[in-house]
Amino acid sequence: QDFPSTWQPARRIITFMGLVSLICTLLVVVIIIIAVALSKTAHPRSTTLKPSELVYLVPQPRKFINRTPTIVVHRQNPRIWQKHVEDLSTLVKAYRERQGAIATSNCDLHYAPIGVSSCSFPLDRISENCSAQNNFGYDTGNPCVGLVFNAFAGWNPIPYNKSNPDDVPVEIRNGYDLQQIVPITCNTSVVVASGSSENASVFHVHYSPFSGFPYRYLPLRGMMGSTLPPLVMIQFIGGQSMADVEVNCFLWAKNLPRNATNDPGAIRFSFFIV
């Protein structure tokens, strides 16, 4: 049945208002989506960082019930430790291949050639003990791990003011060039160890190529940053035949407050060496 002709303008008005309402609704939805996206990307330095978010640990520890994430070092079972060797070999290989494909120059902590925009990371200065040829120490019970700076965490380290000793934590007051490097320290605590010698519970920690992340190689430092984030290879050397070792590593910067419950600069894991 046809509607009276007097209804036609009303129908047009209702249809027009419906279209306007639909368009407005779509605009509001788009604005909300954009606002949510911007809220996730804006002000990255104010983002709350979670523990271990600032670095990647290679190889990744396994999660067990009622214990710290653990890297199992079974010297008598190559099928177990070879997986760790493969992970570390892949990491180093990726660095070599990437640096071979881009234009980089040799630099050090204090010097870079004039006009250099990218410094190659000194892989040749990593300890030979932490190499694929030596199985990264896993076949001898002296394992290596790699700590890789997370360039996507949105965090820019601020160095301590070494001219003010009270500003520098006791742990890093000596032996570090705080204007050139973001220090890393690792402490070990042997929970269970076999053997009765005085050195049964002692683990020595060796860092290479540097004992931290050099500012020169940080991607966040602009022109002098490397295209690859810096890494630190750390070897834990002990003399016992079996040990359960807790490891606590810390990244040190002025804008990394120490917090016992939620420390963004802490990397905690353990070794179970048999």
Side-chain angles (χ1 to χ4, degrees), residues 3 21 54 56 67 84 113 134 146 150 169 175 193 208 215 219 222-223 271:
F3 291 97
S21 177
L54 299 180
Y56 298 113
R67 68 170 289 131
H84 304 323
N134 290 311
N150 182 5
S208 65
Y215 283 104
M223 290 295 291
F271 288 112

Side-chain angles (χ1 to χ4, degrees), residues 2-271:
D2 294 334
F3 291 97
S5 59
T6 55
W7 284 37
Q8 298 302 322
R11 291 179 61 189
R12 293 193 185 98
I13 293 173
I14 293 173
T15 302
F16 176 75
M17 292 179 64
L19 289 174
V20 171
S21 177
L22 178 61
I23 293 172
C24 291
T25 301
L26 291 175
L27 286 174
V28 170
V29 171
V30 170
I31 291 172
I32 292 174
I33 293 174
I34 294 174
V36 171
L38 289 176
S39 67
K40 292 182 178 180
T41 57
H43 308 296
R45 295 182 189 177
S46 63
T47 302
T48 301
L49 297 171
K50 298 178 181 179
S52 301
E53 192 177 50
L54 299 180
V55 297
Y56 298 113
L57 175 63
V58 181
Q60 278 289 300
R62 293 180 58 187
K63 294 182 179 180
F64 295 92
I65 298 175
N66 296 327
R67 68 170 289 131
T68 308
T70 303
I71 298 174
V72 178
V73 184
H74 198 311
R75 288 169 290 186
Q76 306 305 319
N77 190 339
R79 286 185 298 179
I80 293 179
W81 58 256
Q82 279 178 354
K83 178 61 171 64
H84 304 323
V85 172
E86 290 173 2
D87 290 344
L88 287 165
S89 297
T90 300
L91 173 66
V92 175
K93 181 180 179 181
Y95 269 73
R96 293 193 185 280
E97 291 181 348
R98 178 60 178 163
Q99 291 191 157
I102 57 179
T104 58
S105 299
N106 293 327
C107 312
D108 60 27
L109 288 179
H110 307 279
Y111 168 79
I114 297 176
V116 168
S117 61
S118 184
C119 294
S120 58
F121 194 76
L123 298 173
D124 57 334
R125 295 181 59 177
I126 294 177
S127 170
E128 290 186 1
N129 293 333
C130 294
S131 65
Q133 291 79 2
N134 290 311
N135 295 315
F136 294 93
Y138 281 86
D139 58 336
T140 62
N142 299 304
C144 299
V145 299
L147 295 184
V148 183
F149 184 83
N150 182 5
F152 299 100
W155 176 73
N156 194 358
I158 298 175
Y160 291 100
N161 182 9
K162 63 179 181 180
S163 62
N164 181 11
D166 294 335
D167 185 49
V168 182
V170 175
E171 294 87 343
I172 58 170
R173 285 183 184 174
N174 299 314
Y176 296 93
D177 189 341
L178 299 178
Q179 300 304 308
Q180 302 294 336
I181 200 168
V182 183
I184 292 176
T185 61
C186 292
N187 303 315
T188 61
S189 175
V190 179
V191 181
V192 178
S194 65
S196 57
S197 66
E198 294 182 358
N199 294 326
S201 60
V202 175
F203 266 79
H204 300 284
V205 184
H206 183 262
Y207 310 84
S208 65
F210 308 105
S211 55
F213 296 132
Y215 283 104
R216 183 178 297 283
Y217 297 99
L218 295 183
L220 300 177
R221 300 293 283 191
M223 290 295 291
M224 293 313 303
S226 170
T227 54
L228 288 170
L231 69 87
V232 177
M233 201 70 75
I234 306 175
Q235 185 175 27
F236 299 85
I237 303 173
Q240 57 284 327
S241 58
M242 184 181 75
D244 191 356
V245 187
E246 293 281 348
V247 181
N248 291 286
C249 297
F250 298 95
L251 193 63
W252 297 90
K254 191 172 182 178
N255 55 337
L256 268 183
R258 295 273 79 96
N259 188 311
T261 57
N262 184 24
D263 191 335
I267 306 97
R268 296 184 173 92
F269 61 99
S270 66
F271 288 112

